[in-house]
Amino acid sequence: MVSPPKAIEYPSVLEELFEPPAKMLSLAEEQPVWRLRYADGRVGWLVFDLARARTVLNDPRFTVRESGFALDDGGFEEATFHIDNPGDLARLDPPQHTRVRKALTAYFTVGAIAKRREAVERIVATCMDSMEATGPPVDFVQGFSRRVPSMTICSILGVPYTEAHRFEEPTQLLLSGTRTTLDEKKAAIEEFYDYVRSVIAQKRAQPGDDLISELLARGELTEDELAGVAWFLFAAGHETTGQTFAFATFWLLYEPGRWQAMLGGDTPIAQIVEELFRYVPIFRVGIPARTALEDVDLDGYLVKAGEPVMVYQTVMHRDPSRYSDPNRFDPSRDASGHILFGFGRHMCLGQHLARLELQVGLEGLHTRFPTLRLAVPRDEVRLIQSGFSHGVVAELPVAW
Amino acid sequence: MVRIVGNRDICTGAGMCVLTAPNLFEQDDQVGLVVVKSEHVEGEALEAARKAVSLCPSGALSLEDDSARTSPRATSTPSSSSWSHGKPT
């Protein structure tokens, strides 16, 4: 066992839009695990290599119930724990996590999501129609990248899209980092839960052809679990996909000609999307920290009970021992093995839906708007940074 | 020939195997957990199975030969590797 290396601080300033901080890349070259000072003052760990990351993300000796970030999240964590959350998958350990996830898995398999392709194609077409009707310039975030996943999750959960503000607004508030207070975030999450409980009550009274009605009929989840599940599906179902979509599109439009060059060739869209997932992840550091429940020997590094460990996703996606010429975007490469959707038991439930939305969305956009471009100078595009997000595009004005 | 073993007690239904090797794996309709469609593999199918094993997030997949378990090999290792770290010294 080695003595713990000196604690590093995570850079608070973004140097490059689409690149992990150079300093962190050079730390990764030096050693696979570093001590890291967390925003809450705790000193924990930052893991740069895949084998150890897999242990952290799948070993039951690590919990998700005490989290933490390298940078100030403005109370996001505390606010999400403010509500009793027996159904919020991101906040559960086994055996409760296993029980809740099992009730949902069948609806998010590769096969089950493939059956939603036509529905997603219709949603993408609707959003493109309204972009055309409005005419350029259009804010791509409002008009497309957030709208497509919002409409999709509305159709899955069986609520009208006119209600989307009921979950979009509190989500924005929760994710606004230090620009909103902890109290505002607590109020936002209460408002969000009020909405999901009203949806559940409505589905109980009038079941429809939707996932909430189906989960109610199956009766495997308690009322509180179902509320947590619904909050989780609404929140995770629209915002992460929307952010990923906007950031990837910003990258595709950042250099003139890139949109046409990347999407106009013979490379299958599935492969392009996978490389986008590897190359332009929205997260600043990566997956929220796990906390060791007992002392764990992380292949030579002793993580003590109570210490947080973060897996450094964005840097691991640039590991030259896994991807040749990793700092080059290359849609012809095999980008599999990226951990944009995490790993282990918490690997994203909706990952195949996110894939479908990006694939159908980008293909549709390239066909309808082959000349899509930024409608403002690229330096004027505003990015929201928070404790955990690297590239949340606030607004992306586009023209064609 | 090598046999693919899918442990449904460990499987979380992430579907990485189906995404990677749809000829070898599926997820059942009821609970969404792994079903090995084609148990015995060799050649190209074995390579696909190895990749699926390496991408499985829960560790539910393994490969067995006639005598003992074989550990999965890394799928694609670029030649120009620089940072691959083992145990600290």
Side-chain angles (χ1 to χ4, degrees):
Chain A
M1 207 70 57
V2 284
S3 55
K6 188 169 135 280
I8 55 170
E9 312 251 342
Y10 195 83
S12 60
V13 179
L14 203 63
E15 304 151 33
E16 296 280 342
L17 266 184
F18 302 109
E19 300 298 318
K23 183 191 156 201
M24 303 312 262
L25 283 168
S26 70
L27 291 179
E29 224 170 296
E30 258 177 75
Q31 60 191 48
V33 180
W34 286 84
R35 295 288 272 167
L36 174 74
R37 191 173 304 280
Y38 283 67
D40 60 11
R42 286 184 298 173
V43 173
W45 301 86
L46 184 58
V47 171
F48 292 76
D49 81 308
L50 188 65
R52 289 178 181 85
R54 288 180 166 195
T55 303
V56 172
L57 299 175
N58 206 30
D59 191 310
R61 292 173 297 173
F62 290 94
T63 176
V64 293
R65 290 200 61 81
E66 288 169 52
S67 204
F69 292 97
L71 294 168
D72 193 353
D73 68 358
F76 170 80
E77 279 292 303
E78 206 178 327
T80 57
F81 280 112
H82 165 64
I83 293 262
D84 187 29
N85 52 13
D88 177 355
L89 282 174
R91 300 278 172 265
L92 296 177
D93 288 331
Q96 177 66 3
H97 174 265
T98 316
R99 183 184 130 66
V100 175
R101 178 145 180 157
K102 237 176 198 155
L104 299 172
T105 305
Y107 304 101
F108 292 91
T109 62
V110 173
I113 294 304
K115 290 188 189 136
R116 297 199 180 269
R117 175 173 280 272
E118 271 181 35
V120 172
E121 282 171 352
R122 278 196 301 274
I123 287 168
V124 164
T126 302
C127 294
M128 293 192 304
D129 289 348
S130 80
M131 277 172 71
E132 265 188 333
T134 310
V138 162
D139 172 20
F140 184 76
V141 174
Q142 286 300 329
F144 196 88
S145 61
R146 184 176 295 142
R147 195 170 172 192
V148 167
S150 271
M151 287 178 88
T152 304
I153 203 67
C154 282
S155 83
I156 292 174
L157 299 181
V159 302
Y161 179 63
T162 48
E163 289 177 13
H165 66 280
R166 304 273 317 261
F167 59 85
E168 285 184 1
E169 283 166 15
T171 303
Q172 291 312 309
L173 222 144
L174 279 163
L175 293 176
S176 54
T178 51
R179 289 172 303 124
T180 53
T181 63
L182 173 61
D183 282 344
E184 286 171 298
K185 289 188 181 69
K186 283 182 177 173
I189 198 153
E190 281 169 13
E191 198 185 304
F192 202 134
Y193 266 83
D194 285 346
Y195 174 62
V196 301
R197 286 188 189 279
S198 76
V199 171
I200 292 167
Q202 192 252 323
K203 296 293 171 193
R204 196 183 288 285
Q206 256 185 318
D209 180 17
D210 58 75
L211 183 51
I212 293 182
S213 300
E214 177 127 4
L215 292 171
L216 276 167
R218 278 174 63 159
E220 290 166 20
L221 300 171
T222 66
E223 185 84 20
D224 284 347
E225 284 170 348
L226 191 57
V229 161
W231 126 264
F232 175 81
L233 293 174
F234 272 121
H238 83 283
E239 187 58 18
T240 46
T241 308
Q243 289 178 7
T244 299
F245 211 143
F247 197 49
T249 304
F250 183 32
W251 182 81
L252 285 165
L253 301 179
Y254 195 74
E255 296 288 346
R258 190 182 270 169
W259 177 256
Q260 291 81 358
M262 290 300 163
L263 297 173
D266 297 331
T267 313
I269 188 68
Q271 220 169 305
I272 299 172
V273 166
E274 228 51 42
E275 177 69 343
L276 285 167
F277 287 158
R278 180 191 77 88
Y279 196 76
V280 283
I282 50 170
F283 303 107
R284 187 107 183 222
V285 180
I287 298 142
R290 307 295 197 252
T291 300
L293 291 166
E294 55 185 89
D295 290 1
V296 177
D297 172 7
L298 199 55
D299 199 9
Y301 294 88
L302 179 64
V303 177
K304 296 216 171 109
E307 287 182 336
V309 186
M310 258 187 132
V311 165
Y312 201 165
Q313 181 193 67
T314 50
V315 158
M316 283 165 54
H317 287 185
R318 303 296 181 93
D319 181 347
S321 71
R322 297 176 55 222
Y323 303 103
S324 56
D325 201 359
N327 295 322
R328 194 166 68 90
F329 184 89
D330 176 8
S332 71
R333 80 164 79 238
D334 176 4
S336 67
H338 67 73
I339 52 164
L340 184 80
F341 298 109
F343 200 76
R345 75 181 68 85
H346 288 279
M347 191 173 197
C348 179
L349 178 72
Q351 60 167 313
H352 305 300
L353 181 60
R355 280 194 173 90
L356 179 67
E357 289 173 322
L358 262 87
Q359 291 169 9
V360 171
L362 283 175
E363 211 158 42
L365 285 165
H366 181 259
T367 307
R368 182 91 69 104
F369 306 111
T371 59
L372 197 72
R373 62 182 185 278
L374 294 177
V376 292
R378 64 190 192 182
D379 299 335
E380 283 175 23
V381 173
R382 201 161 58 85
L383 289 187
I384 300 174
Q385 291 181 42
S386 71
F388 38 89
S389 291
H390 165 101
V392 177
V393 183
E395 204 185 331
L396 192 67
V398 296
W400 53 88
Chain B
M1 286 287 247
V2 169
R3 192 167 83 93
I4 308 173
V5 181
N7 184 337
R8 289 169 56 95
D9 291 332
I10 297 176
C11 177
T12 55
M16 292 310 292
C17 55
V18 183
L19 188 71
T20 309
N23 295 331
L24 304 180
F25 302 95
E26 61 189 352
Q27 292 167 279
D28 71 82
D29 290 340
Q30 283 71 42
V31 284
L33 301 182
V34 64
V35 176
V36 180
K37 287 202 297 193
S38 183
E39 274 201 331
H40 300 281
V41 287
E42 59 185 350
E44 269 183 38
L46 175 58
E47 284 312 304
R50 284 204 166 105
K51 185 169 174 186
V53 170
S54 77
L55 294 176
C56 173
S58 62
L61 296 181
S62 55
L63 300 176
E64 282 178 357
D65 64 17
D66 289 341
S67 49
R69 291 202 165 195
T70 54
S71 55
R73 240 179 21 208
T75 45
S76 58
T77 311
S79 46
S80 63
S81 109
S82 71
W83 35 289
S84 69
H85 307 275
K87 276 181 187 278
T89 47

